[in-house]
DNA sequence: CGCTGGATGTCGCAG
DNA sequence: CTGCGACGTCCAGCG
């Protein structure tokens, strides 16, 4: 049964010593399983930045794609981690289990040293399903292309992702008087950054098209902060309230 | 032993049916434990956006601070999640175990429905150590304040986080000819966004100080993208190569 | 690979 | 609470 490659029962180990934990984890890594460890450990990271975490109880997850995640009992984000593409290794050092996830380019190393492993588990997940999300910026774009009048009466979209020297414009079109219109779309309430982005596109197009061309810049989002609204006014840009989902 | 509040042994359960899993998980939530589940499940989310994930094997973590994380065998990010502050609940529905994490403001609901739980575990982590990171933007600022000549010979910092109508300037000072200098610091290679940010500060100060005041805007970062370099030149801003860590 | 911009970004801090 | 910007952001898409 243990040799059956299709065995999908999780393997577990309670309170192992370092060498038992290393054997278990080495096998899990070898088998491309999703491995988890819980116990008392220190964590060191060196790479794009550097960090050090003194001893405490944490949950460690090693994924077969090379991801490593170290979680405490608080926070949505891992306290330390390693990105996909790393190589996981483990070894015994004295009474400790040492788990390392290493990559080059950029050179990064995550070292977890367990003084005690309370529990270890390994799974073989099979998951081919993909996530289907609604309410994204892509949905907002779809809404606008299907019903351009939501932006303003007479608006006609001509292109999406139109290239400018400053980057790609979300939606490019004309108003009912034939003036060029540039839309910058955001799925949620926007701050000053989006105004800067829109302004860069408008200015790039003003330079790109023949001189004197009047170009309207419209920020399309559910709402806008006060600072962003002031910036819009300063730059002669406009705001159109519109949500990616219908209810708003 | 099970009643000992100082008991730090993880509690575990292999291949429970729905009601056993619900009892186990309900107890773990009640006890403010860090709970993990592995098994076959569907996931629904509705809140800021909405998403749906068909049946597959995933690892679910529920933290006592209200965080929920759903991980597949790939990727550093959870495929679905819920932020700290949620209330976790679980119940039996037919043969399924249903786990929900709910919050209001914003109204969000994550629903995980297990058709089979392969394994459940609950831990009582106590983690009082705090992480200490090196190589951040704060380190870059510290370097500059300790050794202003790194920016340019004769630079004198006068204030940090100086307020402007466009937001707070990272470092504010004077050059060796008495001209006002604004620094925008970035810990790593920068793109066009940072140039827009720096430009907003410079323009705000030009309006704020007496007319005709010449203000220099310096972007301080390890390096800069080509587009950003072009934008800098356009806006009459400057680039100073400097890294938050000494080796560069 | 590097650049660019989105994200249910998350997180921390100030008002 | 909102606003704002940093982040070892992560991530997909494109050249």
């Amino acid at each position: 049964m243990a040799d059956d490659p299709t065995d999908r029962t999780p393997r577990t180990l309670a309170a192992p010593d370092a060498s038992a934990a290393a054997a278990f984890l080495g096998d899990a890594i070898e088998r491309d399983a999703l491995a988890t460890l819980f116990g008392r450990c220190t964590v060191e990271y060196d790479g794009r930045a550097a960090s050090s975490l003194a001893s405490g109880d944490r949950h460690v997850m090693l994924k077969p794609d090379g991801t490593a995640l170290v979680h405490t009992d608080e926070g949505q984000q891992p306290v330390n981690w390693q990105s996909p593409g790393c190589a996981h290794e483990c070894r015994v050092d004295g009474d400790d289990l040492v788990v390392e996830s290493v990559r080059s380019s950029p050179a990064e190393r995550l070292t977890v040293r367990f003084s005690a492993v309370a529990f270890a588990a390994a799974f073989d997940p099979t998951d081919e399903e993909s996530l289907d999300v609604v309410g994204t910026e892509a949905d907002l774009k779809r809404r606008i292309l299907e019903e351009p009048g939501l932006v303003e009466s007479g608006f006609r979209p001509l292109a999406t992702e139109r290239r400018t020297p400053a980057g790609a414009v979300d939606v490019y079109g004309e108003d009912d008087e034939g003036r060029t219109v540039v839309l910058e779309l955001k799925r949620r309430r926007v701050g000053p950054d989006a105004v800067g982005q829109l302004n860069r596109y408008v200015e790039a197009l003003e330079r790109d098209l023949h001189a004197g061309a009047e170009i309207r810049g419209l920020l399309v989002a559910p709402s806008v902060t006060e600072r962003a609204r002031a910036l819009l006014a300063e730059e002669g840009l406009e705001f159109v309230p519109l949500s990616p989902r219908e209810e708003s």
Side-chain angles (χ1 to χ4, degrees), chain A residues 108-119:
Chain A
E108 290 182 298
R109 173 179 302 264
L110 181 73
T111 307
V112 184
R113 173 180 292 266
F114 282 91
S115 57
V117 175
F119 201 81

Side-chain angles (χ1 to χ4, degrees), chain A residues 10-241:
Chain A
R11 306 175 194 203
T12 62
L13 200 56
D17 62 21
S19 66
F24 178 91
L25 188 58
D27 178 58
I29 293 168
E30 178 71 25
R31 280 167 41 232
D32 277 341
L34 191 163
T36 65
L37 293 167
F38 182 83
R40 182 157 291 264
C41 60
T42 62
V43 187
E44 306 286 329
Y45 164 77
D46 192 39
R48 284 169 283 180
S51 74
S52 181
L53 187 55
S55 185
D57 291 332
R58 284 121 204 172
H59 181 278
V60 176
M61 182 185 298
L62 302 180
K63 295 193 181 190
D65 70 352
T67 300
L69 302 170
V70 182
H71 276 275
T72 69
D73 63 338
E74 288 187 336
Q76 180 171 343
Q77 294 308 121
V79 64
N80 272 118
W81 68 93
Q82 197 62 288
S83 294
C86 289
H88 305 307
E89 301 162 33
C90 67
R91 65 173 191 274
V92 176
D93 182 15
D95 289 337
D96 296 345
L97 169 69
V98 177
V99 182
E100 282 195 321
S101 296
V102 183
R103 81 178 323 172
S104 47
S105 171
E108 290 182 298
R109 173 179 302 264
L110 181 73
T111 307
V112 184
R113 173 180 292 266
F114 282 91
S115 57
V117 175
F119 201 81
F123 316 99
D124 290 280
T126 60
D127 186 350
E128 288 110 37
E129 299 300 332
S130 64
L131 184 68
D132 167 36
V133 188
V134 173
T136 63
E137 182 178 303
D139 293 311
L140 178 55
K141 183 189 291 184
R142 206 170 300 117
R143 275 195 90 185
I144 288 171
L145 295 181
E146 283 170 7
E147 199 177 339
L150 288 172
V151 173
E152 66 176 25
S153 171
F155 173 65
R156 284 177 298 128
L158 298 175
T160 68
E161 305 303 328
R162 183 192 193 283
R163 302 308 183 82
T164 77
V169 166
D170 285 337
V171 177
Y172 175 91
E174 281 182 0
D175 68 12
D176 57 1
E177 298 182 20
R179 287 174 296 205
T180 296
V181 176
V182 169
L183 304 189
E184 175 62 28
L185 312 185
K186 294 294 172 190
R187 61 171 301 282
R188 64 169 192 175
R189 184 172 175 83
V190 294
D193 281 11
V195 181
Q197 208 179 329
L198 175 57
N199 198 40
R200 287 207 308 277
Y201 297 148
V202 170
E203 289 182 347
L205 279 173
E206 279 172 348
R207 275 193 294 266
D208 225 31
L209 303 179
H210 65 84
E214 183 186 357
I215 297 180
R216 295 174 58 202
L218 276 59
L219 187 57
V220 183
S223 63
V224 64
T225 69
E226 266 318 300
R227 178 106 79 205
R229 188 183 290 279
L231 276 170
L232 283 170
E234 240 170 64
E235 311 282 8
L237 304 172
E238 302 163 60
F239 170 64
V240 176

